[in-house]
Amino acid sequence: EVRLVESGGVVVQPGGSLRLSCAASGFTFDDYTMHWVRQPPGKGLEWVSLITWDGGTTHYPDSVRGRFTISRDNSKNSLYLQMNSLTTEDTAFYYCAKGTADPLYFDYWGQGTLVTVSS
Amino acid sequence: EIVLTQSPATLSLSPGERASLSCRASQTVSSNFLAWYQQKPGQAPRLLIYGAFNRATGIPDRFSGSGSGTDFTLTITRLDPDDFAVYYCQLYGTSPMYTFGQGTKLEIK
């Protein structure tokens, strides 16, 4: 059974930094592209980043590029998201998601971790 | 950047009825790159349909996807009480970029 468990969500002040983690199990982690997707409470979904199977390639939308960094440790079956220069606009549930083999879609998701940016 | 517009924002139906949810792209897209997700309150999204027509693993056959070009539809026949949720369409684009529609809430009438 595929399992993704996020952690690290807390309340942080504007301008602060935070690192999220995602522990993966139930599949061959280093075979797949992995993603972070976020959702402000009560709102829609926004893709935040991807990292290829070997960590060699990363991509971000304009909204987080230069502030967020995705990384992975295949020896630990773990995915990370380093978030810097946080603003209130970054308040959201952050989901770790497994990419499909293509990788065009997200076929498994974690339960999410809540990041609140507030003074 | 391609924008996905879902309609209606809210759809009120009764169990046993048929639901049709629309996702319109701002320009022509490949059906290979279009997916649908279901999200229930307090839960993560779940992949329902990929490649516009293909059901994901374990998805009942009352869920079906159709469409091409700019217009795509998720159809749910014979609504089950468990189907009332928010549904999102998602598009894979070049760069790469992953775009979601704003969602349609399917509520019990």
Side-chain angles (χ1 to χ4, degrees):
Chain A
E1 177 194 4
V2 172
R3 195 153 185 251
L4 300 168
V5 180
E6 303 92 338
S7 61
V10 293
V11 178
V12 60
Q13 291 190 337
S17 297
L18 195 59
R19 188 196 199 205
L20 304 181
S21 299
C22 171
S25 60
F27 65 103
T28 305
F29 182 69
D30 56 11
D31 274 354
Y32 293 94
T33 292
M34 296 294 295
H35 303 262
W36 289 97
V37 178
R38 69 183 179 183
Q39 184 174 38
K43 297 188 178 181
L45 299 164
E46 180 188 19
W47 169 72
V48 168
S49 59
L50 78 77
I51 187 167
T52 52
W53 66 274
D54 61 350
T57 300
T58 59
H59 288 284
Y60 309 88
D62 290 345
S63 58
V64 306
R65 188 177 296 117
R67 300 188 300 122
F68 288 12
T69 303
I70 188 173
S71 62
R72 66 192 296 163
D73 185 338
N74 288 343
S75 69
K76 296 182 178 179
N77 285 356
S78 293
L79 179 71
Y80 307 100
L81 185 66
Q82 177 67 42
M83 303 186 293
N84 298 330
S85 303
L86 286 163
T87 75
T88 57
E89 302 290 305
D90 297 315
T91 294
F93 289 94
Y94 284 75
Y95 295 101
C96 165
K98 173 183 169 293
T100 51
D102 328 77
L104 306 177
Y105 315 111
F106 315 100
D107 56 359
Y108 292 94
W109 301 61
Q111 84 290 348
T113 188
L114 178 60
V115 173
T116 303
V117 183
S118 174
S119 54
Chain B
E1 179 185 332
I2 299 175
V3 176
L4 299 178
T5 302
Q6 293 186 241
S7 61
T10 302
L11 183 59
S12 299
L13 294 170
S14 300
E17 291 192 298
R18 177 190 181 100
S20 290
L21 287 65
S22 172
C23 176
R24 177 164 291 178
S26 57
Q27 57 187 274
T28 299
V29 301
S30 168
S31 59
N32 291 330
F33 298 160
L34 197 286
W36 291 91
Y37 299 82
Q38 176 194 66
Q39 187 178 32
K40 298 177 184 178
Q43 295 186 20
R46 176 175 70 149
L47 178 65
L48 295 177
I49 301 288
Y50 63 94
F53 320 110
N54 305 292
R55 278 187 298 278
T57 303
I59 302 304
D61 60 8
R62 63 178 183 274
F63 290 89
S64 64
S66 61
S68 64
T70 60
D71 293 310
F72 299 88
T73 300
L74 174 68
T75 301
I76 314 170
T77 57
R78 305 181 309 277
L79 281 167
D80 183 277
D82 190 51
D83 298 336
F84 292 90
V86 179
Y87 292 84
Y88 294 94
C89 57
Q90 175 250 316
L91 178 70
Y92 170 84
T94 55
S95 299
M97 183 67 184
Y98 299 80
T99 303
F100 291 92
Q102 83 281 13
T104 289
K105 181 180 181 181
L106 178 58
E107 65 176 23
I108 298 179
K109 186 173 183 180

